[in-house]
Coordinates of all heavy atoms in Angstrom, one line a residue:
N116 N 5.2 17.2 -20.7 CA 4.6 17.1 -22.1 C 4.1 15.6 -22.3 O 4.1 14.8 -21.3 CB 5.7 17.4 -23.2 CG 6.9 16.6 -23.1 OD1 6.9 15.6 -22.5 ND2 8.0 17.1 -23.6
Y117 N 3.6 15.3 -23.5 CA 3.1 14.0 -23.8 C 4.1 12.9 -23.5 O 3.8 11.8 -23.0 CB 2.5 14.0 -25.2 CG 2.0 12.5 -25.6 CD1 0.8 12.1 -24.9 CD2 2.6 11.8 -26.5 CE1 0.3 10.9 -25.2 CE2 2.1 10.4 -26.8 CZ 0.9 10.0 -26.1 OH 0.4 8.9 -26.5
D118 N 5.3 13.1 -24.0 CA 6.4 12.1 -23.8 C 6.6 11.8 -22.3 O 6.8 10.7 -21.9 CB 7.7 12.5 -24.5 CG 7.6 12.4 -26.0 OD1 7.0 11.6 -26.5 OD2 8.4 13.3 -26.6
S119 N 6.6 12.8 -21.6 CA 6.8 12.8 -20.1 C 5.6 12.0 -19.5 O 5.9 11.2 -18.6 CB 7.0 14.1 -19.5 OG 7.1 14.1 -18.1
A120 N 4.4 12.3 -19.9 CA 3.2 11.5 -19.4 C 3.3 10.0 -19.7 O 3.1 9.2 -18.8 CB 2.0 12.1 -20.0
V121 N 3.8 9.7 -21.0 CA 3.8 8.3 -21.3 C 4.9 7.6 -20.5 O 4.9 6.5 -20.0 CB 4.0 8.1 -22.8 CG1 4.3 6.7 -23.1 CG2 2.9 8.6 -23.6
L122 N 6.1 8.3 -20.4 CA 7.2 7.7 -19.6 C 6.9 7.7 -18.2 O 7.3 6.7 -17.4 CB 8.4 8.7 -19.7 CG 9.7 8.2 -19.3 CD1 10.1 6.9 -19.9 CD2 10.9 9.2 -19.6
T123 N 6.1 8.6 -17.6 CA 5.7 8.5 -16.2 C 4.8 7.2 -16.0 O 4.9 6.5 -15.0 CB 4.9 9.8 -15.8 OG1 5.7 10.9 -16.0 CG2 4.5 9.7 -14.3
A124 N 3.9 7.0 -16.9 CA 3.1 5.7 -16.9 C 4.0 4.5 -16.8 O 3.8 3.6 -16.1 CB 2.1 5.7 -18.0
G125 N 5.1 4.6 -17.7 CA 6.0 3.4 -17.7 C 6.8 3.3 -16.4 O 7.1 2.2 -15.9
F126 N 7.1 4.5 -15.8 CA 7.8 4.6 -14.6 C 7.0 3.9 -13.4 O 7.6 3.2 -12.5 CB 8.2 6.0 -14.2 CG 8.8 6.1 -12.8 CD1 10.1 5.8 -12.7 CD2 8.1 6.7 -11.9 CE1 10.7 5.9 -11.3 CE2 8.6 6.9 -10.6 CZ 9.9 6.6 -10.3
I127 N 5.8 4.2 -13.4 CA 4.9 3.7 -12.5 C 4.8 2.1 -12.5 O 4.9 1.5 -11.5 CB 3.4 4.3 -12.5 CG1 3.6 5.8 -12.1 CG2 2.4 3.5 -11.6 CD1 2.3 6.6 -12.3
G128 N 4.7 1.7 -13.7 CA 4.6 0.2 -14.0 C 5.9 -0.4 -13.5 O 5.9 -1.5 -13.0
A129 N 7.0 0.2 -13.9 CA 8.4 -0.4 -13.6 C 8.6 -0.3 -12.1 O 9.1 -1.2 -11.5 CB 9.5 0.4 -14.3
G130 N 8.1 0.8 -11.4 CA 8.3 0.9 -10.1 C 7.5 -0.1 -9.2 O 7.8 -0.5 -8.1
L131 N 6.3 -0.5 -9.6 CA 5.5 -1.4 -9.0 C 5.7 -2.8 -9.4 O 5.2 -3.7 -8.7 CB 4.0 -0.9 -9.1 CG 3.6 0.4 -8.5 CD1 2.2 0.7 -8.8 CD2 3.8 0.4 -7.0
G132 N 6.3 -3.0 -10.5 CA 6.4 -4.4 -11.0 C 7.9 -4.6 -11.6 O 8.9 -4.7 -10.9
A133 N 7.9 -4.5 -12.9 CA 9.2 -4.6 -13.6 C 9.1 -3.8 -14.9 O 8.0 -3.3 -15.2 CB 9.4 -6.1 -14.0
T134 N 10.2 -3.8 -15.6 CA 10.2 -3.0 -16.9 C 9.1 -3.5 -17.9 O 8.5 -2.6 -18.5 CB 11.6 -3.1 -17.6 OG1 12.6 -2.7 -16.6 CG2 11.7 -2.3 -18.8
P135 N 8.9 -4.8 -18.0 CA 7.8 -5.2 -18.9 C 6.4 -4.6 -18.5 O 5.5 -4.4 -19.4 CB 7.8 -6.7 -18.9 CG 9.2 -7.1 -18.5 CD 9.6 -6.0 -17.5
V136 N 6.1 -4.5 -17.2 CA 4.9 -3.9 -16.8 C 4.8 -2.4 -17.2 O 3.7 -1.9 -17.7 CB 4.7 -4.0 -15.3 CG1 3.4 -3.3 -14.8 CG2 4.8 -5.6 -14.9
G137 N 5.9 -1.8 -17.1 CA 6.0 -0.4 -17.5 C 5.7 -0.2 -19.0 O 5.0 0.6 -19.5
L138 N 6.3 -1.2 -19.8 CA 6.1 -1.1 -21.2 C 4.6 -1.4 -21.6 O 4.0 -0.9 -22.6 CB 7.0 -2.2 -21.9 CG 8.5 -1.9 -22.0 CD1 9.3 -3.1 -22.5 CD2 8.7 -0.7 -22.8
A139 N 4.0 -2.3 -20.8 CA 2.6 -2.6 -21.0 C 1.7 -1.3 -20.8 O 0.8 -1.1 -21.4 CB 2.1 -3.7 -20.2
N140 N 2.0 -0.7 -19.6 CA 1.4 0.7 -19.3 C 1.4 1.6 -20.4 O 0.5 2.2 -20.9 CB 2.0 1.2 -18.1 CG 1.5 0.6 -16.8 OD1 0.7 -0.4 -16.8 ND2 2.0 1.0 -15.7
M141 N 2.7 1.8 -20.9 CA 2.9 2.8 -22.0 C 2.2 2.2 -23.3 O 1.7 3.1 -24.0 CB 4.5 2.9 -22.3 CG 5.2 3.6 -21.1 SD 6.9 4.1 -21.5 CE 7.5 2.8 -22.4
D142 N 2.1 1.0 -23.6 CA 1.5 0.5 -24.8 C 0.1 0.9 -24.7 O -0.5 1.3 -25.8 CB 1.8 -0.9 -24.9 CG 1.2 -1.5 -26.2 OD1 1.5 -0.9 -27.3 OD2 0.5 -2.5 -26.1
S143 N -0.6 0.6 -23.6 CA -2.0 1.0 -23.5 C -2.3 2.4 -23.7 O -3.4 2.7 -24.3 CB -2.6 0.4 -22.1 OG -2.1 1.1 -21.1
I144 N -1.5 3.3 -23.2 CA -1.7 4.7 -23.3 C -1.5 5.1 -24.8 O -2.2 5.9 -25.4 CB -0.7 5.5 -22.4 CG1 -1.3 5.3 -21.0 CG2 -0.7 7.0 -22.8 CD1 -0.3 6.0 -20.0
T145 N -0.4 4.6 -25.4 CA -0.1 5.0 -26.8 C -1.0 4.4 -27.8 O -1.3 4.9 -28.9 CB 1.3 4.6 -27.2 OG1 1.6 3.2 -27.0 CG2 2.4 5.4 -26.3
K146 N -1.7 3.3 -27.6 CA -2.7 2.8 -28.4 C -4.0 3.7 -28.5 O -4.6 3.8 -29.5 CB -3.2 1.4 -27.9 CG -2.2 0.3 -28.4 CD -2.8 -1.1 -28.0 CE -1.7 -2.1 -28.4 NZ -2.2 -3.5 -27.9
K147 N -4.2 4.4 -27.4 CA -5.4 5.4 -27.4 C -5.0 6.7 -27.8 O -5.8 7.4 -28.6 CB -5.9 5.4 -26.0 CG -7.2 6.2 -25.9 CD -7.8 6.1 -24.5 CE -9.1 6.9 -24.5 NZ -9.8 6.8 -23.3
Y148 N -3.8 7.3 -27.4 CA -3.5 8.6 -27.7 C -2.4 8.9 -28.7 O -2.1 10.1 -29.0 CB -3.0 9.3 -26.3 CG -4.2 9.4 -25.4 CD1 -4.1 8.6 -24.3 CD2 -5.3 10.2 -25.5 CE1 -5.2 8.5 -23.3 CE2 -6.3 10.2 -24.6 CZ -6.3 9.3 -23.5 OH -7.2 9.4 -22.6
G149 N -1.7 7.9 -29.2 CA -0.7 8.1 -30.2 C 0.7 7.7 -29.5 O 0.9 7.5 -28.4
I150 N 1.6 7.4 -30.5 CA 3.0 6.8 -30.1 C 3.9 7.8 -29.5 O 3.7 9.0 -29.8 CB 3.6 6.2 -31.3 CG1 4.8 5.3 -31.0 CG2 4.0 7.2 -32.4 CD1 4.5 4.1 -30.3
S151 N 4.8 7.4 -28.7 CA 5.7 8.2 -28.1 C 7.1 7.5 -28.2 O 7.4 6.6 -27.4 CB 5.4 8.6 -26.6 OG 6.6 9.1 -26.0
V152 N 7.8 7.7 -29.3 CA 9.1 7.0 -29.5 C 10.1 7.2 -28.4 O 10.8 6.3 -28.0 CB 9.7 7.4 -30.9 CG1 11.0 6.7 -31.1 CG2 8.7 7.1 -32.0
R153 N 10.2 8.4 -27.9 CA 11.1 8.8 -26.9 C 10.9 7.9 -25.6 O 11.9 7.4 -25.0 CB 11.1 10.3 -26.5 CG 12.0 10.7 -25.5 CD 12.0 12.0 -25.2 NE 12.6 12.8 -26.4 CZ 12.4 14.1 -26.6 NH1 11.7 14.8 -25.8 NH2 12.8 14.6 -27.8
A154 N 9.7 7.8 -25.2 CA 9.4 7.0 -24.0 C 9.8 5.5 -24.1 O 10.3 4.9 -23.3 CB 7.9 7.2 -23.6
F155 N 9.5 5.0 -25.4 CA 9.7 3.6 -25.7 C 11.2 3.3 -25.9 O 11.6 2.2 -25.6 CB 8.9 3.0 -26.9 CG 7.6 2.6 -26.6 CD1 6.5 3.5 -26.8 CD2 7.3 1.4 -26.1 CE1 5.2 3.1 -26.5 CE2 6.0 1.0 -25.7 CZ 5.0 1.9 -25.9
L156 N 12.0 4.3 -26.1 CA 13.5 4.2 -26.0 C 14.0 4.3 -24.7 O 14.9 3.6 -24.3 CB 14.1 5.2 -27.0 CG 14.0 5.0 -28.5 CD1 14.5 6.2 -29.3 CD2 14.6 3.7 -28.9
L157 N 13.6 5.2 -23.9 CA 14.1 5.6 -22.6 C 13.8 4.6 -21.5 O 14.7 4.1 -20.8 CB 13.6 7.0 -22.1 CG 14.3 8.1 -22.8 CD1 13.7 9.4 -22.3 CD2 15.8 8.1 -22.7
L158 N 12.6 4.1 -21.4 CA 12.3 3.2 -20.3 C 13.0 1.9 -20.4 O 13.6 1.5 -19.3 CB 10.8 2.9 -20.3 CG 10.4 2.0 -19.0 CD1 10.4 2.9 -17.8 CD2 9.0 1.6 -19.3
P159 N 13.1 1.1 -21.4 CA 13.9 -0.1 -21.4 C 15.4 0.2 -21.2 O 16.0 -0.6 -20.5 CB 13.6 -0.7 -22.8 CG 12.5 0.0 -23.3 CD 12.3 1.3 -22.6
L160 N 15.8 1.2 -21.9 CA 17.3 1.6 -21.6 C 17.6 1.9 -20.2 O 18.5 1.3 -19.6 CB 17.7 2.7 -22.5 CG 19.1 3.1 -22.6 CD1 20.0 2.0 -23.1 CD2 19.3 4.4 -23.4
L161 N 16.9 2.8 -19.6 CA 17.1 3.2 -18.3 C 16.9 2.1 -17.2 O 17.5 1.9 -16.3 CB 16.4 4.5 -17.9 CG 16.7 5.8 -18.6 CD1 15.9 6.8 -18.3 CD2 18.2 6.1 -18.4
G162 N 15.8 1.3 -17.5 CA 15.4 0.2 -16.7 C 16.5 -0.8 -16.7 O 16.8 -1.3 -15.6
S163 N 17.0 -1.2 -17.7 CA 18.0 -2.2 -17.8 C 19.4 -1.8 -17.2 O 20.0 -2.5 -16.5 CB 18.3 -2.7 -19.2 OG 18.7 -1.7 -20.1
V164 N 19.7 -0.5 -17.5 CA 21.0 0.1 -17.0 C 20.9 0.2 -15.5 O 21.9 -0.2 -14.8 CB 21.4 1.4 -17.6 CG1 22.4 2.2 -16.9 CG2 21.7 1.2 -19.1
F165 N 19.8 0.7 -15.0 CA 19.6 0.8 -13.5 C 19.7 -0.5 -12.8 O 20.3 -0.7 -11.8 CB 18.4 1.7 -13.2 CG 18.1 1.9 -11.7 CD1 18.9 2.7 -11.0 CD2 17.2 1.1 -11.0 CE1 18.7 2.9 -9.6 CE2 17.0 1.2 -9.7 CZ 17.8 2.1 -9.0

Side-chain angles (χ1 to χ4, degrees):
N116 55 20
Y117 179 68
D118 288 327
S119 177
V121 174
L122 192 57
T123 301
F126 171 75
I127 291 171
L131 294 176
T134 304
V136 177
L138 289 171
N140 285 356
M141 293 190 320
D142 186 50
S143 64
I144 289 174
T145 57
K146 281 183 180 176
K147 185 172 183 176
Y148 298 108
I150 193 70
S151 171
V152 175
R153 181 177 292 166
F155 275 98
L156 287 173
L157 286 176
L158 184 73
L160 181 65
L161 294 176
S163 64
V164 168
F165 178 74

